[in-house]
Amino acid sequence: AAVLVASILSGITDAITATIGDYGLYAVFILMLVDAVLPAASEVVMVYGGALASGAFVGQEVTLFGETIEDGLPAYLAIALAGTIGYTIGAVGGWAIGLYGGRPYLERHGRWLHLNEEKLERAERWFERWGDRAVFFGRLTPVVRSFVSVPAGVFEARLGRYTALTLLGSAIWCFAFAAAGYAAGESWEEFHHAFRYFDYLIAAL
């Protein structure tokens, strides 16, 4: 079973890195947008994106509208901003799903968003206890970060504060992980594998 899980994770990682290698900023933007509602391996996206920005991969460049962005700081900033903006837009979309769909919608269709009645009740208690802090710290917590958006809408978090806290939390996440990938360069996978154990711990908790 462990070998099968490792094989699946490796396949997902390969698919994500290949997509980023082919589509660069666009892939980072879309993957992070999706990750705001459904887990899309945001650690891999940003770490690999940072490594790409460093010029670690021959023949792969960061481009925007057909123009190549210079390796180094310009490419790093472009990758980190693409992740931050994509995630924030996706998070507002998730909030809208929760707000307008409401709890009845999620009780019927929540399985597609990995949300069931038990998880919603836990999320409600979490929001009641921590308020706005639940949004900010949720964005900085592996695994949990993808399950904040929809409940925030269900529990009618104020859009302005929700968006601001999401933007701040996602910026910290994206710039930090892109920096780790930038520093690691071709050795980005070593950082990714080391961080995975932290993911497992958070998932278990």
Side-chain angles (χ1 to χ4, degrees):
V3 173
L4 177 61
V5 170
S7 177
I8 292 173
L9 290 175
S10 177
I12 292 172
T13 299
D14 290 345
I16 289 172
T17 55
T19 302
I20 295 172
D22 291 338
Y23 300 102
L25 286 176
Y26 307 106
V28 171
F29 177 86
I30 294 297
L31 288 168
M32 292 302 290
L33 185 149
V34 171
D35 189 77
V37 180
L38 294 170
S42 59
E43 299 98 329
V44 175
V45 173
M46 296 313 305
V47 171
Y48 186 83
L52 177 64
S54 74
F57 311 114
V58 177
Q60 293 187 8
E61 299 174 327
V62 178
T63 61
L64 180 63
F65 303 128
E67 298 294 326
T68 299
I69 298 175
E70 184 182 353
D71 290 339
L73 181 60
Y76 162 74
L77 291 175
I79 288 288
L81 286 171
T84 300
I85 295 168
Y87 191 92
T88 302
I89 292 174
V92 172
W95 174 89
I97 291 172
L99 181 69
Y100 296 109
R103 193 160 187 153
Y105 175 85
L106 290 180
E107 288 172 353
R108 292 195 304 272
H109 305 289
R111 67 185 182 279
W112 300 110
L113 300 172
H114 301 282
L115 292 169
N116 55 30
E117 181 62 23
E118 181 183 355
K119 289 179 181 177
L120 279 173
E121 288 177 356
R122 285 205 303 267
E124 185 170 19
R125 291 194 297 270
W126 194 41
F127 272 91
E128 287 176 350
R129 179 178 181 184
W130 299 107
D132 289 337
R133 288 175 293 177
V135 175
F136 177 70
F137 289 111
R139 297 309 185 193
L140 298 175
T141 307
V143 183
V144 172
R145 64 196 314 271
S146 296
F147 299 106
V148 172
S149 302
V150 176
V154 171
F155 307 133
E156 300 182 3
R158 289 171 294 178
L159 179 59
R161 289 183 62 81
Y162 167 79
T163 303
L165 291 168
T166 293
L167 178 62
L168 178 58
S170 62
I172 292 171
W173 177 276
C174 292
F175 276 81
F177 277 89
Y182 186 93
E186 292 182 356
S187 302
W188 70 273
E189 284 189 278
E190 294 179 12
F191 174 84
H192 167 56
H193 288 310
F195 191 82
R196 184 177 293 171
Y197 293 104
F198 188 59
D199 278 347
Y200 294 155
L201 175 62
I202 294 296
L205 291 174

